[in-house]
Amino acid sequence: MSLNSKKRKLDRSAQDNVYFESYSDVTIHEEMIADKVRTNSYRLGILKNYKAIKGKVVLDVGAGTCVLSIFCVHAGAKKVYAVEASAIAEQAKEIVKLNKMEDKITIIKGMLETAELPENVDVIVSEWMGYALLHESMLNSVLFARDKWLKPGGCILPSVAELYIAPINDPVVEDRLNFWSTVKDQYGVDMTCMYDFARKCIMMTGEIAVNSVTMEDVLSHPAKFAELDLHTVTTEQLESVKGSFNCECFGSSSVNALCIWFSVTFPGEDRPLVLCTSPFKQETHWKQSILYLDEAVEVTQDTKVAGEISMSPSVKNPRHLCVHLDYSIGKHTNKSKTFSMGDGYPDPE
Amino acid sequence: MSLNSKKRKLDRSAQDNVYFESYSDVTIHEEMIADKVRTNSYRLGILKNYKAIKGKVVLDVGAGTCVLSIFCVHAGAKKVYAVEASAIAEQAKEIVKLNKMEDKITIIKGMLETAELPENVDVIVSEWMGYALLHESMLNSVLFARDKWLKPGGCILPSVAELYIAPINDPVVEDRLNFWSTVKDQYGVDMTCMYDFARKCIMMTGEIAVNSVTMEDVLSHPAKFAELDLHTVTTEQLESVKGSFNCECFGSSSVNALCIWFSVTFPGEDRPLVLCTSPFKQETHWKQSILYLDEAVEVTQDTKVAGEISMSPSVKNPRHLCVHLDYSIGKHTNKSKTFSMGDGYPDPE
């Protein structure tokens, strides 16, 4: 091993440490469990699939506080292996004990990739979705678990993930840019020249923002640009998740960003259960991910907003997300922009 | 110079870089100028002191967008030297030009400590206050400017700073701790054992929180524990700003934190103008600084909350703040706790 590749390996594990440490604080678990859309969807998605779970062996990937493992026991699981790399595993042990499920749930503290299970499993359950679905790249661990531990014909919950995109007008950013022209009236100081600087700091950094988009600010029907079947998708395919979109604006407005979100689906005999993080649905802690254009573009009814989007793990840190966008808005054709999402999303409130 | 002290020196300047870079983004300047209490107080405080400013030479320490320099020109200043170390100095130049004040305001890009002024000044104006007054330690630069550049008998705006403390009940933290006992009703999973872990993560870290305290949550009259006269206070005195407090609770409640805030005063012939960041006044971007106790203490009417507080720059990073508290609440006597405030306050919203 060359010094260089050794260094890269050390860096990688340091990145993993930063990632897992972020899950050792109470705030993130409180936020996830307090997210009723998320937790109730998983609860119902698991209970709905009781036929697949009852009397069976389950693997919970990234179990956190073990809440999904406990739902699986509620659904009749014979045994659940709960793998969790962060220090929250200690609290999970107490929770399992308090709920008198020590005989059913075995907590394995460590990374999924190195965990040793005593047997193969019938079901994998995992809440692996990051901001914009793929931030944190945790899906790789689920696929690793599937390929190593899932019995043939086994079940993955949820089983499908979909990605959506739509043009939006973010009024907060508009207001922030226009703020500088209000300073003269307020204090007698002309600061209109700050507009361009503000636009550079707010819209041109290429950082993906995580924030709540109001449905009124969505300017067209959303376009689905990617679908991942968790039973078949490969780690190689996750290196670049891409798709195209073609939207037509509802009416006159100003597009200053594209917004992306995701849904995941639990299979169901009658009908599947969908956990959807769309701006048209009840808010979740994932909110939406916002890709600001360098400048706003005026649109009218039927103006086309079309293009291609590709999402990849960042080269520097595979848990970070890189998004490349090629797009046209009406007559503004052949534009492109690259975005990234690092640690620490979203801004806590 | 030993390698060690050289290293320390490099670290110190790296810390300064982090500090000054944080002021090169638009968000912080937008927040400060949009803070009407702050900006209007400075505007009125400066205009009120027109007799000291008219026809005189002013130094603006940490000028930012130069808004205070422009107020000084409005008040009749002959000349303003605006010293600013961060990249926002470039925008300040444009603003000064746009307001046609290039002949009155000279922007000096660099640190105050190394800036060369062509003359001594009659007035120093500066908005140097950090969270809990002393976070960021910028007052040291104002004192340096005073000792090097202010003419004898010159004026400093504002001229006095005061620090206050009061016991509070923070209901958000109470709710966050109690959240874990609501999980069973919501999802059928008993998570009451998370209470202690949550308390450890939220109340026991010793990090100073910056947040808005509602006046109803303040449990006694506030106590003033320190006063700094900017004409006389020394850098050595800022190494440890301390004082005592003695509060009596209004009625039955639960103290889970002490809250600190500050005011600064502009002199005035008739009456001085006070910029106050108290929870009893209109909110500012400084909000209040909250020191959580390890656990809540029940109080009733007239329960004494008393003690001593000392504030110092952190040893590791002099721009960070360290607070030590010795206190008693009723029969809970001889308690003490140390707090710190690092970069990145408050959580942006």
Side-chain angles (χ1 to χ4, degrees):
Chain A
M1 187 184 283
S2 77
L3 188 66
N4 238 351
S5 73
K6 191 169 176 191
K7 186 170 178 305
R8 197 181 301 138
K9 200 158 177 217
L10 284 172
D11 285 350
R12 180 73 176 269
S13 96
Q15 289 162 358
D16 281 342
N17 284 345
V18 168
Y19 172 65
F20 291 124
E21 266 171 35
S22 75
Y23 282 88
S24 63
D25 184 81
V26 76
T27 307
I28 196 163
H29 297 284
E30 181 188 330
E31 182 184 54
M32 290 191 294
I33 292 175
D35 180 343
K36 290 185 189 177
V37 175
R38 166 196 177 271
T39 309
N40 275 325
S41 296
Y42 267 86
R43 189 180 185 209
L44 293 176
I46 288 166
L47 294 178
K48 233 172 151 43
N49 283 280
Y50 71 95
K51 284 186 187 166
I53 296 171
K54 200 173 179 185
K56 298 291 176 59
V57 180
V58 179
L59 167 57
D60 181 352
V61 178
T65 53
C66 267
V67 63
L68 305 187
S69 300
I70 292 173
F71 292 159
C72 289
V73 173
H74 290 164
K78 182 174 76 177
K79 182 82 205 171
V80 183
Y81 298 103
V83 179
E84 173 56 44
S86 90
I88 198 72
E90 299 307 317
Q91 273 64 46
K93 281 179 192 169
E94 285 182 47
I95 289 168
V96 167
K97 207 170 158 188
L98 190 63
N99 288 275
K100 301 192 177 25
M101 293 180 182
E102 302 107 302
D103 55 330
K104 303 268 190 189
I105 300 175
T106 299
I107 292 165
I108 301 172
K109 192 184 168 194
M111 287 177 64
L112 188 280
E113 287 75 3
T114 53
E116 281 303 325
L117 271 58
E119 59 185 319
N120 284 343
V121 303
D122 304 290
V123 179
I124 291 174
V125 64
S126 180
E127 196 277 78
W128 52 269
M129 299 89 74
Y131 300 114
L133 189 68
L134 298 174
H135 186 54
E136 300 188 334
S137 295
M138 189 181 151
L139 181 53
N140 282 317
S141 296
V142 176
L143 303 190
F144 186 98
R146 174 195 70 189
D147 296 342
K148 185 165 182 185
W149 299 110
L150 188 63
K151 291 179 192 168
C155 160
I156 306 178
L157 298 176
S159 57
V160 173
E162 293 170 311
L163 279 156
Y164 295 86
I165 191 166
I168 65 165
N169 169 271
D170 182 336
V172 174
V173 162
E174 269 195 343
D175 287 351
R176 289 190 59 189
L177 297 181
N178 291 333
F179 166 75
W180 297 103
S181 33
T182 69
V183 178
K184 189 163 186 183
D185 276 350
Q186 277 200 61
Y187 306 118
V189 179
D190 189 341
M191 292 207 174
T192 48
C193 61
M194 287 287 281
Y195 184 95
D196 278 341
F197 178 65
R199 193 164 64 83
K200 200 176 128 204
C201 293
I202 299 169
M203 297 182 69
M204 295 173 72
T205 62
E207 276 176 46
I208 299 171
V210 174
N211 225 324
S212 294
V213 173
T214 311
M215 65 174 125
E216 288 78 12
D217 301 328
V218 179
L219 303 180
S220 78
H221 289 294
K224 180 163 94 174
F225 67 89
E227 181 170 325
L228 307 175
D229 180 337
L230 270 64
H231 286 92
T232 58
V233 69
T234 64
T235 307
E236 292 68 38
Q237 287 167 338
L238 292 186
E239 289 295 309
S240 173
V241 172
K242 58 176 118 188
S244 60
F245 57 94
N246 204 325
C247 302
E248 291 180 353
C249 292
F250 295 138
S252 293
S253 185
S254 166
V255 179
N256 60 12
L258 296 175
C259 162
I260 54 182
W261 67 86
F262 65 88
S263 70
V264 295
T265 303
F266 295 84
E269 274 179 17
D270 42 347
R271 55 173 186 174
L273 187 144
V274 181
L275 162 53
C276 180
T277 65
S278 155
F280 298 95
K281 303 279 181 178
Q282 199 182 331
E283 186 175 319
T284 71
H285 77 284
W286 287 286
K287 302 179 180 177
Q288 285 81 37
S289 295
I290 305 176
L291 314 176
Y292 289 108
L293 307 180
D294 285 353
E295 53 187 328
V297 178
E298 297 302 309
V299 294
T300 56
Q301 194 181 324
D302 298 335
T303 300
K304 282 199 176 163
V305 180
E308 299 199 341
I309 182 167
S310 79
M311 303 170 77
S312 341
S314 144
V315 175
K316 280 190 194 160
N317 182 340
R319 295 210 179 269
H320 292 181
L321 182 65
C322 204
V323 174
H324 184 78
L325 193 62
D326 293 307
Y327 67 99
S328 301
I329 302 179
K331 289 171 187 166
H332 297 71
T333 57
N334 298 319
K335 302 275 183 184
S336 72
K337 188 166 177 180
T338 301
F339 301 85
S340 65
M341 188 185 277
D343 288 322
Y345 284 86
D347 301 335
E349 272 161 277
Chain B
M1 187 185 284
S2 78
L3 188 65
N4 237 352
S5 74
K6 192 171 177 190
K7 186 171 179 305
R8 197 181 300 138
K9 198 159 180 219
L10 284 171
D11 285 349
R12 180 70 177 270
S13 97
Q15 288 162 358
D16 280 342
N17 284 346
V18 168
Y19 172 64
F20 290 123
E21 267 170 33
S22 75
Y23 281 88
S24 63
D25 185 81
V26 76
T27 307
I28 197 163
H29 297 284
E30 180 188 331
E31 183 184 54
M32 290 191 295
I33 292 175
D35 180 343
K36 290 185 189 178
V37 175
R38 167 196 177 271
T39 308
N40 274 325
S41 295
Y42 267 86
R43 189 180 185 208
L44 293 177
I46 288 167
L47 294 178
K48 233 171 153 41
N49 283 280
Y50 70 96
K51 284 186 188 167
I53 295 171
K54 201 173 178 184
K56 299 292 176 60
V57 180
V58 178
L59 168 57
D60 181 353
V61 178
T65 54
C66 266
V67 63
L68 304 187
S69 300
I70 292 173
F71 292 159
C72 289
V73 173
H74 290 165
K78 181 174 77 177
K79 183 82 205 172
V80 184
Y81 298 103
V83 179
E84 172 57 44
S86 90
I88 198 73
E90 300 307 318
Q91 274 64 45
K93 280 179 193 169
E94 286 182 46
I95 290 169
V96 167
K97 207 171 158 187
L98 190 64
N99 288 275
K100 301 192 177 24
M101 293 181 181
E102 301 107 303
D103 56 329
K104 304 267 189 189
I105 300 175
T106 299
I107 292 166
I108 301 172
K109 192 184 169 194
M111 286 177 63
L112 188 280
E113 287 76 3
T114 53
E116 281 303 326
L117 271 59
E119 58 186 320
N120 284 344
V121 302
D122 304 290
V123 179
I124 290 174
V125 64
S126 180
E127 196 277 77
W128 52 269
M129 299 88 74
Y131 300 114
L133 190 67
L134 299 174
H135 186 53
E136 299 188 335
S137 295
M138 189 181 151
L139 180 54
N140 282 317
S141 296
V142 177
L143 302 190
F144 185 98
R146 176 195 69 190
D147 297 341
K148 185 165 181 186
W149 298 110
L150 189 63
K151 291 180 193 169
C155 160
I156 306 178
L157 299 177
S159 57
V160 173
E162 293 170 311
L163 278 157
Y164 295 86
I165 191 166
I168 64 165
N169 169 271
D170 182 335
V172 175
V173 162
E174 268 195 344
D175 287 351
R176 289 190 60 188
L177 298 181
N178 291 333
F179 166 76
W180 297 101
S181 33
T182 69
V183 178
K184 188 162 188 183
D185 277 349
Q186 277 199 60
Y187 307 119
V189 179
D190 189 341
M191 292 206 173
T192 48
C193 61
M194 287 287 281
Y195 184 95
D196 278 340
F197 177 65
R199 192 164 65 82
K200 201 176 126 203
C201 292
I202 299 169
M203 297 182 68
M204 294 174 73
T205 62
E207 278 175 44
I208 299 171
V210 173
N211 225 325
S212 294
V213 173
T214 311
M215 67 174 124
E216 288 78 12
D217 301 329
V218 179
L219 302 180
S220 79
H221 289 294
K224 178 163 94 174
F225 67 88
E227 181 170 325
L228 307 175
D229 180 337
L230 269 63
H231 286 93
T232 57
V233 69
T234 64
T235 308
E236 292 68 39
Q237 286 167 337
L238 292 185
E239 289 295 309
S240 172
V241 172
K242 58 177 119 187
S244 60
F245 57 94
N246 205 324
C247 302
E248 290 181 354
C249 292
F250 294 137
S252 292
S253 186
S254 166
V255 179
N256 59 14
L258 296 175
C259 163
I260 55 183
W261 67 87
F262 65 88
S263 70
V264 295
T265 303
F266 295 83
E269 274 181 19
D270 43 347
R271 55 173 185 173
L273 187 143
V274 180
L275 161 53
C276 180
T277 65
S278 154
F280 298 96
K281 303 279 181 178
Q282 199 182 332
E283 187 176 317
T284 71
H285 77 285
W286 287 286
K287 302 178 179 177
Q288 285 81 37
S289 296
I290 305 175
L291 314 176
Y292 290 108
L293 307 180
D294 285 352
E295 54 188 326
V297 179
E298 298 300 310
V299 295
T300 56
Q301 193 182 325
D302 298 334
T303 300
K304 282 199 177 166
V305 180
E308 298 198 342
I309 182 167
S310 79
M311 303 169 78
S312 341
S314 143
V315 175
K316 281 189 192 159
N317 182 340
R319 295 211 180 270
H320 292 181
L321 181 65
C322 204
V323 175
H324 184 78
L325 193 63
D326 293 306
Y327 68 99
S328 301
I329 302 179
K331 288 172 187 165
H332 297 71
T333 56
N334 298 319
K335 302 275 183 184
S336 72
K337 187 166 177 179
T338 302
F339 302 85
S340 65
M341 188 186 276
D343 288 321
Y345 284 86
D347 301 334
E349 271 161 278

